[in-house]
Structure formats: C-alpha cells, structure tokens
Amino acid sequence: MDVLQHLDFYILRALWILAIPVGAYAFIHALRQRADAFTAAGKLTKNAWLGITGAGLLVLVVFQGPWSSGALFWLAGLVAVLVYIVDVKPAVVGVQRGDQRW
C-alpha cells in the first residue's frame, strides 16, 4: 500500500531519469544531420534546432525534475526535445533517404 501512496513520486522520478538521455539523443541526432536537410524538410535551420535541443537538454539537466522550483522550465525543455524527436527527426531523415512523402 505504501507504493501506491507514493506512485506519483515514482512516475515523476522515472520521467526525470528518462528525459536526460532522450534530450541527449535529440541533440546528438541534430548535430549529425546535414544542414540542408532541415530546410529541405521545411523546418527551422540546423543551427536553430541545435540551439533548441541544446537548451532543452541543459534545462533538463540543471533543473532537478518536475518537482523542482523550475518545473515549468523543465517541462518546456522536455517539450522542445520531444517536438524535435516526433516532428523534425522523421522529416529530416525522410529527406535524406529520398522519401517522396516529405
């Protein structure tokens, strides 16, 4: 019964632990892509996405999770990184592979 009383703490702790590697993956992926693929996919430039994912990763590391005083910044950093992974990454990879649907 004690686990159920602290379930929200465990869920938030897991989110915090998983968010940092996801942010690092997004930044490294953006770093390794060709610059022209971003504009060909109709997205912001490579430098802009490097700044967004890098700042998102920095915020995820600096603020100690969603229960800290900077929870709003932490959430914004997580959203920025997830937007890259869900929206920009597939478009950039599709352009580099020559997919016609992008």
Side-chain angles (χ1 to χ4, degrees):
M1 192 61 143
D2 187 43
V3 172
L4 291 177
Q5 292 176 347
H6 301 289
L7 185 62
D8 60 339
F9 173 77
Y10 294 124
I11 290 172
L12 291 177
R13 177 67 67 165
L15 280 175
W16 178 63
I17 290 171
L18 292 174
I20 295 172
V22 169
Y25 172 76
F27 179 74
I28 291 170
H29 186 272
L31 187 65
R32 296 184 61 192
Q33 302 309 306
R34 293 189 345 233
D36 61 339
F38 287 88
T39 54
K43 305 299 179 186
L44 294 175
T45 64
K46 177 179 180 173
N47 290 336
W49 280 110
L50 283 174
I52 292 168
T53 57
L57 176 60
L58 181 67
V59 166
L60 291 174
V61 170
V62 169
F63 292 104
Q64 298 298 311
W67 55 84
S68 71
S69 62
L72 187 61
F73 295 114
W74 185 87
L75 185 61
L78 181 62
V79 167
V81 166
L82 290 177
V83 164
Y84 177 82
I85 290 176
V86 171
D87 182 43
V88 178
K89 179 183 174 276
V92 169
V93 170
V95 164
Q96 291 181 19
R97 271 190 296 175
D99 289 349
Q100 295 299 321
R101 56 188 163 161
W102 294 106

